[in-house]
Amino acid sequence: MKNRQVLPCTSNAKGGLRSLLGAAVFGAAIVMALPVASTVEQQLVGKTSFAGTTVLAKDEKPQPPTRKTPAIRAKVFKELEKAQLASEEAGELMKTNKAAARAKYKEALGYLDALESKGGKRALNEYELANLYNMYAFIYFVQEDYAKAKKAYQNVLAQSPKIPYAMEVNTLYTIAQLEFVAENWNSGVKQLTKWMKAKNDLGEKIGANAHALMAQGYYQQKKYRSALKEIELAVNDYKSRGKVPKEPWYGLQRFLYYELKNYKKVASLLEETLAYYQKKAYWLQLSAMYSELDQGDKMLAAYEAAYIQGLLEKEKEVVNMAYIFLANETPYKAAKTMYLGMKRKQVKPTSKNLEVMGNSWRQAQETKKAIPILAKAAQRSKDGELWARLGNVYMDSDQPKKAAAAIYRGLKKGGIKRPENAYLTLGMAEFNLKRFDKSQAAFERAAKYKKTKKFADNWLKYLAKEKARQEGLAAG
């Protein structure tokens, strides 16, 4: 296997990957189910449970605690019904006329306020109060006044045990959701734990969405192992029923495994995610994870898959693709990537980008294509470094005159990183042009540098002999 390949143009690979993975988590808002406002008719005819003992058959589920709940009186029912009808009309108006909808919600709240104030709260029994506050909560909820909604739901719970057990359990769940919306993670987890216990006591399935919600709560508390346990319950629940897990669930699962440094699992989950959700970010994450795992070939394949699908549109992404091709010894593909990127106006023809393309053509043994590109790069460069490099390319392609001209321009412009090498190449170019005096001057400059002194001195000796030979031929 080749040396470990790392995504180029990334100053902090791990930090960047963590951000990519985290985006899938932070970008997923808490999804709340709209609370169900039972119709007043349902509340009136709902079963009234009485204290008693129930013997369960072997396969029967546990039953909710039996409770005696007071009935809703007709006069109270009438007022609740008015509020409910106004609320339903408001819901319909929200689609077309929000101002009118708000007025209707205000009307609905007015009915509830009037009912609450008539004779004081003591005029209503616990079950009537529970339904009153449940209606308040529903109206506040749909208007996104979550603080008032939570307070109203808490007032519903305050009527326990004189309310149906199912009503109490459902209210616990809604309060938990509201705590999460307010980013009260500790309270949200506590409320959801109470709700889960109640569901377990009833022998009822908790459900994937509730596990995912709990996972998010633990994640926000940085209790990653607890969060992982919950999100995997959610994912596995969906899989067991032949359903595709939700995209944010995969995102949280990947992030948690990454935080726990299980990179193989992260890569595996990204492969699974891509089977259902084709997104650029996932291909880039997968490529980065393969890099982390020292799997250079797979890293290239993942990044190239995104490129082939046309998902890489930003300049940095396209240039990264070229660098990855170069790192994996496929310079021709690197050059083509840069060429097409500039043609499609994804990549700007800056000096640096032209240099990458030119060097790629050169490594691919496409010298004729490399030279004009490198010349453009040199012309746009702020210093003489690229002119010096271009001089080397000209020498490799047996064009000493152009090589000398390029190096002279580079030396004049300044900023060459290895001037000693530039002088050596210049000396050889001038020697090939039989301009021995200029060649000698260049080699003498090269001899002043420790790294090139020995090589330059050898050239000077050879140059002296050649000059003498040429002079002898001329004299003879």
Side-chain angles (χ1 to χ4, degrees), residues 265-288:
K265 186 65 175 178
V266 176
S268 174
L269 285 170
L270 281 164
E271 291 169 357
E272 185 177 329
T273 304
L274 281 163
Y276 306 111
Y277 304 102
Q278 286 282 330
K279 286 188 177 179
K280 175 176 73 176
Y282 301 151
W283 284 111
L284 299 185
Q285 288 173 24
L286 182 58
S287 182

PDB file of all heavy atoms in Angstrom, residues 265-288:
ATOM      1  N   LYS A 265     -16.015   1.969  12.279  1.00  0.00           N
ATOM      2  CA  LYS A 265     -17.475   1.986  12.338  1.00  0.00           C
ATOM      3  C   LYS A 265     -18.028   3.223  11.645  1.00  0.00           C
ATOM      4  O   LYS A 265     -19.065   3.156  10.972  1.00  0.00           O
ATOM      5  CB  LYS A 265     -17.935   1.945  13.804  1.00  0.00           C
ATOM      6  CG  LYS A 265     -19.447   1.824  13.979  1.00  0.00           C
ATOM      7  CD  LYS A 265     -19.972   0.509  13.441  1.00  0.00           C
ATOM      8  CE  LYS A 265     -21.466   0.353  13.721  1.00  0.00           C
ATOM      9  NZ  LYS A 265     -22.012  -0.903  13.167  1.00  0.00           N
ATOM     10  N   VAL A 266     -17.336   4.349  11.788  1.00  0.00           N
ATOM     11  CA  VAL A 266     -17.774   5.574  11.113  1.00  0.00           C
ATOM     12  C   VAL A 266     -17.772   5.357   9.604  1.00  0.00           C
ATOM     13  O   VAL A 266     -18.727   5.703   8.909  1.00  0.00           O
ATOM     14  CB  VAL A 266     -16.869   6.764  11.482  1.00  0.00           C
ATOM     15  CG1 VAL A 266     -17.282   8.009  10.685  1.00  0.00           C
ATOM     16  CG2 VAL A 266     -16.944   7.068  12.972  1.00  0.00           C
ATOM     17  N   ALA A 267     -16.684   4.769   9.096  1.00  0.00           N
ATOM     18  CA  ALA A 267     -16.596   4.507   7.655  1.00  0.00           C
ATOM     19  C   ALA A 267     -17.702   3.561   7.208  1.00  0.00           C
ATOM     20  O   ALA A 267     -18.342   3.775   6.172  1.00  0.00           O
ATOM     21  CB  ALA A 267     -15.230   3.921   7.315  1.00  0.00           C
ATOM     22  N   SER A 268     -17.948   2.526   7.999  1.00  0.00           N
ATOM     23  CA  SER A 268     -18.997   1.565   7.669  1.00  0.00           C
ATOM     24  C   SER A 268     -20.366   2.235   7.632  1.00  0.00           C
ATOM     25  O   SER A 268     -21.187   1.974   6.735  1.00  0.00           O
ATOM     26  CB  SER A 268     -18.987   0.430   8.701  1.00  0.00           C
ATOM     27  OG  SER A 268     -20.072  -0.443   8.494  1.00  0.00           O
ATOM     28  N   LEU A 269     -20.618   3.120   8.592  1.00  0.00           N
ATOM     29  CA  LEU A 269     -21.908   3.825   8.641  1.00  0.00           C
ATOM     30  C   LEU A 269     -22.058   4.793   7.474  1.00  0.00           C
ATOM     31  O   LEU A 269     -23.164   4.973   6.942  1.00  0.00           O
ATOM     32  CB  LEU A 269     -22.047   4.578   9.965  1.00  0.00           C
ATOM     33  CG  LEU A 269     -22.356   3.714  11.190  1.00  0.00           C
ATOM     34  CD1 LEU A 269     -22.221   4.525  12.469  1.00  0.00           C
ATOM     35  CD2 LEU A 269     -23.764   3.128  11.089  1.00  0.00           C
ATOM     36  N   LEU A 270     -20.958   5.406   7.060  1.00  0.00           N
ATOM     37  CA  LEU A 270     -21.027   6.299   5.900  1.00  0.00           C
ATOM     38  C   LEU A 270     -21.355   5.516   4.636  1.00  0.00           C
ATOM     39  O   LEU A 270     -22.124   5.974   3.785  1.00  0.00           O
ATOM     40  CB  LEU A 270     -19.698   7.042   5.742  1.00  0.00           C
ATOM     41  CG  LEU A 270     -19.507   8.227   6.689  1.00  0.00           C
ATOM     42  CD1 LEU A 270     -18.049   8.651   6.735  1.00  0.00           C
ATOM     43  CD2 LEU A 270     -20.385   9.401   6.263  1.00  0.00           C
ATOM     44  N   GLU A 271     -20.773   4.336   4.498  1.00  0.00           N
ATOM     45  CA  GLU A 271     -21.098   3.479   3.350  1.00  0.00           C
ATOM     46  C   GLU A 271     -22.583   3.133   3.358  1.00  0.00           C
ATOM     47  O   GLU A 271     -23.249   3.157   2.320  1.00  0.00           O
ATOM     48  CB  GLU A 271     -20.256   2.203   3.408  1.00  0.00           C
ATOM     49  CG  GLU A 271     -18.766   2.433   3.162  1.00  0.00           C
ATOM     50  CD  GLU A 271     -17.924   1.212   3.481  1.00  0.00           C
ATOM     51  OE1 GLU A 271     -18.494   0.209   3.955  1.00  0.00           O
ATOM     52  OE2 GLU A 271     -16.698   1.255   3.268  1.00  0.00           O
ATOM     53  N   GLU A 272     -23.092   2.824   4.545  1.00  0.00           N
ATOM     54  CA  GLU A 272     -24.516   2.477   4.676  1.00  0.00           C
ATOM     55  C   GLU A 272     -25.394   3.692   4.387  1.00  0.00           C
ATOM     56  O   GLU A 272     -26.419   3.578   3.702  1.00  0.00           O
ATOM     57  CB  GLU A 272     -24.774   1.966   6.097  1.00  0.00           C
ATOM     58  CG  GLU A 272     -26.191   1.450   6.313  1.00  0.00           C
ATOM     59  CD  GLU A 272     -26.380   0.884   7.714  1.00  0.00           C
ATOM     60  OE1 GLU A 272     -25.406   0.351   8.296  1.00  0.00           O
ATOM     61  OE2 GLU A 272     -27.505   0.995   8.239  1.00  0.00           O
ATOM     62  N   THR A 273     -24.996   4.847   4.899  1.00  0.00           N
ATOM     63  CA  THR A 273     -25.772   6.069   4.678  1.00  0.00           C
ATOM     64  C   THR A 273     -25.872   6.382   3.194  1.00  0.00           C
ATOM     65  O   THR A 273     -26.936   6.760   2.687  1.00  0.00           O
ATOM     66  CB  THR A 273     -25.122   7.255   5.420  1.00  0.00           C
ATOM     67  OG1 THR A 273     -24.999   6.946   6.808  1.00  0.00           O
ATOM     68  CG2 THR A 273     -25.972   8.517   5.271  1.00  0.00           C
ATOM     69  N   LEU A 274     -24.754   6.222   2.475  1.00  0.00           N
ATOM     70  CA  LEU A 274     -24.732   6.553   1.055  1.00  0.00           C
ATOM     71  C   LEU A 274     -25.603   5.623   0.219  1.00  0.00           C
ATOM     72  O   LEU A 274     -25.961   5.964  -0.907  1.00  0.00           O
ATOM     73  CB  LEU A 274     -23.288   6.522   0.542  1.00  0.00           C
ATOM     74  CG  LEU A 274     -22.468   7.769   0.894  1.00  0.00           C
ATOM     75  CD1 LEU A 274     -20.983   7.511   0.723  1.00  0.00           C
ATOM     76  CD2 LEU A 274     -22.910   8.948   0.031  1.00  0.00           C
ATOM     77  N   ALA A 275     -25.948   4.476   0.768  1.00  0.00           N
ATOM     78  CA  ALA A 275     -26.847   3.568   0.050  1.00  0.00           C
ATOM     79  C   ALA A 275     -28.251   4.166  -0.035  1.00  0.00           C
ATOM     80  O   ALA A 275     -29.023   3.822  -0.934  1.00  0.00           O
ATOM     81  CB  ALA A 275     -26.897   2.217   0.760  1.00  0.00           C
ATOM     82  N   TYR A 276     -28.574   5.082   0.886  1.00  0.00           N
ATOM     83  CA  TYR A 276     -29.917   5.668   0.939  1.00  0.00           C
ATOM     84  C   TYR A 276     -29.930   7.177   0.712  1.00  0.00           C
ATOM     85  O   TYR A 276     -30.894   7.719   0.179  1.00  0.00           O
ATOM     86  CB  TYR A 276     -30.570   5.384   2.296  1.00  0.00           C
ATOM     87  CG  TYR A 276     -30.586   3.919   2.673  1.00  0.00           C
ATOM     88  CD1 TYR A 276     -29.814   3.433   3.715  1.00  0.00           C
ATOM     89  CD2 TYR A 276     -31.375   3.011   1.961  1.00  0.00           C
ATOM     90  CE1 TYR A 276     -29.829   2.083   4.061  1.00  0.00           C
ATOM     91  CE2 TYR A 276     -31.390   1.662   2.292  1.00  0.00           C
ATOM     92  CZ  TYR A 276     -30.609   1.205   3.347  1.00  0.00           C
ATOM     93  OH  TYR A 276     -30.628  -0.125   3.677  1.00  0.00           O
ATOM     94  N   TYR A 277     -28.869   7.853   1.127  1.00  0.00           N
ATOM     95  CA  TYR A 277     -28.833   9.308   1.048  1.00  0.00           C
ATOM     96  C   TYR A 277     -27.551   9.744   0.330  1.00  0.00           C
ATOM     97  O   TYR A 277     -26.477   9.729   0.908  1.00  0.00           O
ATOM     98  CB  TYR A 277     -28.884   9.927   2.450  1.00  0.00           C
ATOM     99  CG  TYR A 277     -30.071   9.486   3.269  1.00  0.00           C
ATOM    100  CD1 TYR A 277     -29.933   8.516   4.272  1.00  0.00           C
ATOM    101  CD2 TYR A 277     -31.333  10.035   3.046  1.00  0.00           C
ATOM    102  CE1 TYR A 277     -31.024   8.106   5.020  1.00  0.00           C
ATOM    103  CE2 TYR A 277     -32.428   9.627   3.794  1.00  0.00           C
ATOM    104  CZ  TYR A 277     -32.271   8.669   4.785  1.00  0.00           C
ATOM    105  OH  TYR A 277     -33.348   8.259   5.528  1.00  0.00           O
ATOM    106  N   GLN A 278     -27.694  10.084  -0.944  1.00  0.00           N
ATOM    107  CA  GLN A 278     -26.536  10.467  -1.757  1.00  0.00           C
ATOM    108  C   GLN A 278     -26.284  11.966  -1.599  1.00  0.00           C
ATOM    109  O   GLN A 278     -26.995  12.791  -2.158  1.00  0.00           O
ATOM    110  CB  GLN A 278     -26.802  10.128  -3.224  1.00  0.00           C
ATOM    111  CG  GLN A 278     -26.737   8.655  -3.540  1.00  0.00           C
ATOM    112  CD  GLN A 278     -25.299   8.150  -3.647  1.00  0.00           C
ATOM    113  OE1 GLN A 278     -24.397   8.880  -4.030  1.00  0.00           O
ATOM    114  NE2 GLN A 278     -25.091   6.891  -3.308  1.00  0.00           N
ATOM    115  N   LYS A 279     -25.261  12.295  -0.831  1.00  0.00           N
ATOM    116  CA  LYS A 279     -24.906  13.695  -0.635  1.00  0.00           C
ATOM    117  C   LYS A 279     -23.389  13.872  -0.701  1.00  0.00           C
ATOM    118  O   LYS A 279     -22.641  12.989  -0.294  1.00  0.00           O
ATOM    119  CB  LYS A 279     -25.422  14.208   0.711  1.00  0.00           C
ATOM    120  CG  LYS A 279     -26.925  14.434   0.743  1.00  0.00           C
ATOM    121  CD  LYS A 279     -27.346  15.131   2.020  1.00  0.00           C
ATOM    122  CE  LYS A 279     -28.843  15.426   2.010  1.00  0.00           C
ATOM    123  NZ  LYS A 279     -29.260  16.095   3.262  1.00  0.00           N
ATOM    124  N   LYS A 280     -22.991  15.033  -1.187  1.00  0.00           N
ATOM    125  CA  LYS A 280     -21.563  15.332  -1.309  1.00  0.00           C
ATOM    126  C   LYS A 280     -20.846  15.206   0.030  1.00  0.00           C
ATOM    127  O   LYS A 280     -19.750  14.623   0.107  1.00  0.00           O
ATOM    128  CB  LYS A 280     -21.382  16.745  -1.857  1.00  0.00           C
ATOM    129  CG  LYS A 280     -19.931  17.197  -1.911  1.00  0.00           C
ATOM    130  CD  LYS A 280     -19.799  18.567  -2.541  1.00  0.00           C
ATOM    131  CE  LYS A 280     -20.287  19.664  -1.650  1.00  0.00           C
ATOM    132  NZ  LYS A 280     -20.066  21.008  -2.227  1.00  0.00           N
ATOM    133  N   ALA A 281     -21.451  15.757   1.085  1.00  0.00           N
ATOM    134  CA  ALA A 281     -20.789  15.764   2.396  1.00  0.00           C
ATOM    135  C   ALA A 281     -20.424  14.356   2.845  1.00  0.00           C
ATOM    136  O   ALA A 281     -19.363  14.150   3.446  1.00  0.00           O
ATOM    137  CB  ALA A 281     -21.690  16.430   3.436  1.00  0.00           C
ATOM    138  N   TYR A 282     -21.284  13.385   2.535  1.00  0.00           N
ATOM    139  CA  TYR A 282     -21.020  12.016   2.989  1.00  0.00           C
ATOM    140  C   TYR A 282     -19.852  11.393   2.223  1.00  0.00           C
ATOM    141  O   TYR A 282     -19.059  10.637   2.791  1.00  0.00           O
ATOM    142  CB  TYR A 282     -22.280  11.167   2.858  1.00  0.00           C
ATOM    143  CG  TYR A 282     -23.448  11.705   3.643  1.00  0.00           C
ATOM    144  CD1 TYR A 282     -24.768  11.475   3.231  1.00  0.00           C
ATOM    145  CD2 TYR A 282     -23.257  12.460   4.795  1.00  0.00           C
ATOM    146  CE1 TYR A 282     -25.835  11.975   3.949  1.00  0.00           C
ATOM    147  CE2 TYR A 282     -24.322  12.964   5.515  1.00  0.00           C
ATOM    148  CZ  TYR A 282     -25.609  12.717   5.085  1.00  0.00           C
ATOM    149  OH  TYR A 282     -26.668  13.224   5.803  1.00  0.00           O
ATOM    150  N   TRP A 283     -19.746  11.721   0.923  1.00  0.00           N
ATOM    151  CA  TRP A 283     -18.603  11.215   0.153  1.00  0.00           C
ATOM    152  C   TRP A 283     -17.300  11.819   0.683  1.00  0.00           C
ATOM    153  O   TRP A 283     -16.279  11.120   0.800  1.00  0.00           O
ATOM    154  CB  TRP A 283     -18.767  11.555  -1.336  1.00  0.00           C
ATOM    155  CG  TRP A 283     -19.754  10.701  -2.058  1.00  0.00           C
ATOM    156  CD1 TRP A 283     -20.971  11.075  -2.556  1.00  0.00           C
ATOM    157  CD2 TRP A 283     -19.629   9.308  -2.360  1.00  0.00           C
ATOM    158  NE1 TRP A 283     -21.608  10.013  -3.138  1.00  0.00           N
ATOM    159  CE2 TRP A 283     -20.802   8.906  -3.046  1.00  0.00           C
ATOM    160  CE3 TRP A 283     -18.638   8.356  -2.127  1.00  0.00           C
ATOM    161  CZ2 TRP A 283     -21.006   7.609  -3.490  1.00  0.00           C
ATOM    162  CZ3 TRP A 283     -18.841   7.050  -2.576  1.00  0.00           C
ATOM    163  CH2 TRP A 283     -20.006   6.694  -3.246  1.00  0.00           C
ATOM    164  N   LEU A 284     -17.335  13.103   1.005  1.00  0.00           N
ATOM    165  CA  LEU A 284     -16.132  13.758   1.527  1.00  0.00           C
ATOM    166  C   LEU A 284     -15.759  13.210   2.898  1.00  0.00           C
ATOM    167  O   LEU A 284     -14.578  13.004   3.206  1.00  0.00           O
ATOM    168  CB  LEU A 284     -16.346  15.268   1.598  1.00  0.00           C
ATOM    169  CG  LEU A 284     -16.637  15.979   0.275  1.00  0.00           C
ATOM    170  CD1 LEU A 284     -16.707  17.489   0.488  1.00  0.00           C
ATOM    171  CD2 LEU A 284     -15.595  15.642  -0.779  1.00  0.00           C
ATOM    172  N   GLN A 285     -16.776  12.987   3.735  1.00  0.00           N
ATOM    173  CA  GLN A 285     -16.516  12.397   5.052  1.00  0.00           C
ATOM    174  C   GLN A 285     -15.924  10.998   4.908  1.00  0.00           C
ATOM    175  O   GLN A 285     -14.980  10.629   5.618  1.00  0.00           O
ATOM    176  CB  GLN A 285     -17.812  12.322   5.859  1.00  0.00           C
ATOM    177  CG  GLN A 285     -18.333  13.659   6.346  1.00  0.00           C
ATOM    178  CD  GLN A 285     -19.690  13.546   6.987  1.00  0.00           C
ATOM    179  OE1 GLN A 285     -20.076  12.475   7.480  1.00  0.00           O
ATOM    180  NE2 GLN A 285     -20.459  14.618   6.988  1.00  0.00           N
ATOM    181  N   LEU A 286     -16.485  10.217   3.977  1.00  0.00           N
ATOM    182  CA  LEU A 286     -16.001   8.851   3.779  1.00  0.00           C
ATOM    183  C   LEU A 286     -14.551   8.866   3.298  1.00  0.00           C
ATOM    184  O   LEU A 286     -13.718   8.083   3.767  1.00  0.00           O
ATOM    185  CB  LEU A 286     -16.890   8.122   2.771  1.00  0.00           C
ATOM    186  CG  LEU A 286     -16.540   6.659   2.495  1.00  0.00           C
ATOM    187  CD1 LEU A 286     -16.572   5.837   3.780  1.00  0.00           C
ATOM    188  CD2 LEU A 286     -17.491   6.050   1.462  1.00  0.00           C
ATOM    189  N   SER A 287     -14.251   9.773   2.376  1.00  0.00           N
ATOM    190  CA  SER A 287     -12.874   9.890   1.891  1.00  0.00           C
ATOM    191  C   SER A 287     -11.932  10.247   3.033  1.00  0.00           C
ATOM    192  O   SER A 287     -10.845   9.679   3.168  1.00  0.00           O
ATOM    193  CB  SER A 287     -12.810  10.960   0.792  1.00  0.00           C
ATOM    194  OG  SER A 287     -11.510  11.062   0.274  1.00  0.00           O
ATOM    195  N   ALA A 288     -12.360  11.179   3.878  1.00  0.00           N
ATOM    196  CA  ALA A 288     -11.521  11.589   5.016  1.00  0.00           C
ATOM    197  C   ALA A 288     -11.332  10.447   6.010  1.00  0.00           C
ATOM    198  O   ALA A 288     -10.247  10.285   6.583  1.00  0.00           O
ATOM    199  CB  ALA A 288     -12.158  12.791   5.705  1.00  0.00           C
TER     200      ALA A 288
END
